[in-house]
Amino acid sequence: MKILIYGGEASGKSAYAEDIAVKMAQKEGLPLYYVATMDKNAGGDTLSRIEKHKKMREGKGFITLEQPKSLEKLSFESENGVILLEDVGNLVCNELFTSKTAPVSVDRHDVNTNYAVSTKIRSGALSAASLSASVNVYADSMAKQIADSIDAISAQAAHIILVGNSIFDEAATDYTAETHIFMQTLASVMNIFAQTAEKVTEIVAGIPISLK
């Protein structure tokens, strides 16, 4: 079974997803895996957030695998377990901006970048119209690659639960090019997964809302 659980920051999505994963594993007697996509080297409050999530998982039986990107390289001791992947936003960010071979490289000085064909993305506030073609090119390409990597681990599991991010409520046209591409790629990855998922649930203020 494929399940997508998503919500905004501090919405309760992580706790809800963990609860579902634990119950599925216990009911069917399956091993329980947690695929952590947060990069320890990301800076900011990353380390404190990682520790918070570790404490949330304590005593629940999770086998934790840290894999910030390239999920297709993961292998599991048992190919018939429950996988909880958290979260898609970190995975997309890592694939877009931290891979040496990532198709999105930022050149803050090249103002003549052709977004639709170049491997450079000029940073800066751009109109939605200026970005539309380039965002679709990059986002579609990266979303397909990331979705394929998720499928690669899904094929090794009895059940996979994907934790997604809701960051789309606020419309804006003054985001940087990188942010536009991130948001579009994230949305596309979640949409691709949702199409074949048996269950899709949005978490709002700790309340699950079933969408599928």
Side-chain angles (χ1 to χ4, degrees):
M1 177 179 287
K2 297 169 68 176
I3 300 173
L4 173 62
I5 296 169
Y6 74 96
E9 186 175 356
S11 62
K13 61 183 182 293
S14 296
Y16 182 82
E18 287 180 15
D19 186 55
I20 295 294
V22 169
K23 287 179 179 177
M24 294 178 78
Q26 291 177 344
K27 181 179 179 179
E28 300 181 35
L30 300 175
L32 183 59
Y33 296 99
Y34 182 92
V35 178
T37 61
M38 191 174 293
D39 188 346
K40 289 181 177 179
N41 300 313
D45 64 347
T46 298
L47 294 179
S48 63
R49 290 171 63 193
I50 289 175
E51 287 305 312
K52 173 186 174 183
H53 282 277
K54 282 183 177 179
K55 288 181 179 179
M56 286 176 62
R57 299 194 303 274
E58 280 182 359
K60 296 181 179 180
F62 281 100
I63 301 169
T64 300
L65 302 174
E66 296 181 357
Q67 191 75 14
K69 55 192 175 187
S70 303
L71 295 182
E72 69 279 359
K73 296 180 180 179
L74 270 179
S75 60
F76 301 83
E77 291 183 7
S78 170
E79 294 193 354
N80 191 37
V82 177
I83 296 175
L84 172 57
L85 190 156
E86 186 170 11
D87 61 30
V88 188
N90 285 314
L91 175 63
V92 168
C93 185
N94 295 335
E95 293 286 7
L96 283 174
F97 304 118
T98 68
S99 298
K100 292 182 179 179
T101 57
V104 176
S105 59
V106 180
D107 187 336
R108 287 177 168 77
H109 305 289
D110 184 358
V111 296
N112 297 311
T113 295
N114 183 331
Y115 302 110
V117 298
S118 175
T119 56
K120 296 177 180 178
I121 299 295
R122 176 166 61 87
S123 175
L126 303 174
S127 68
S130 299
L131 280 169
S132 58
S134 58
V135 165
N136 288 337
V137 169
Y138 284 107
D140 288 350
S141 173
M142 284 305 298
K144 178 64 166 60
Q145 291 181 44
I146 296 169
D148 285 348
S149 75
I150 294 172
D151 284 343
I153 65 170
S154 178
Q156 302 180 61
H159 308 290
I160 183 168
I161 301 169
L162 201 68
V163 178
N165 314 80
S166 179
I167 60 171
F168 314 105
D169 294 336
E170 222 175 282
T173 59
D174 59 348
Y175 288 141
T176 63
E178 298 98 312
T179 301
H180 278 283
I181 291 172
F182 168 75
M183 293 178 69
Q184 184 62 45
T185 305
L186 174 59
S188 295
V189 171
M190 289 172 56
N191 287 343
I192 291 170
F193 188 85
Q195 287 174 7
T196 56
E198 284 82 4
K199 294 184 178 180
V200 178
T201 302
E202 181 181 11
I203 308 298
V204 180
I207 301 171
I209 301 172
S210 178
L211 302 177
K212 184 178 182 182

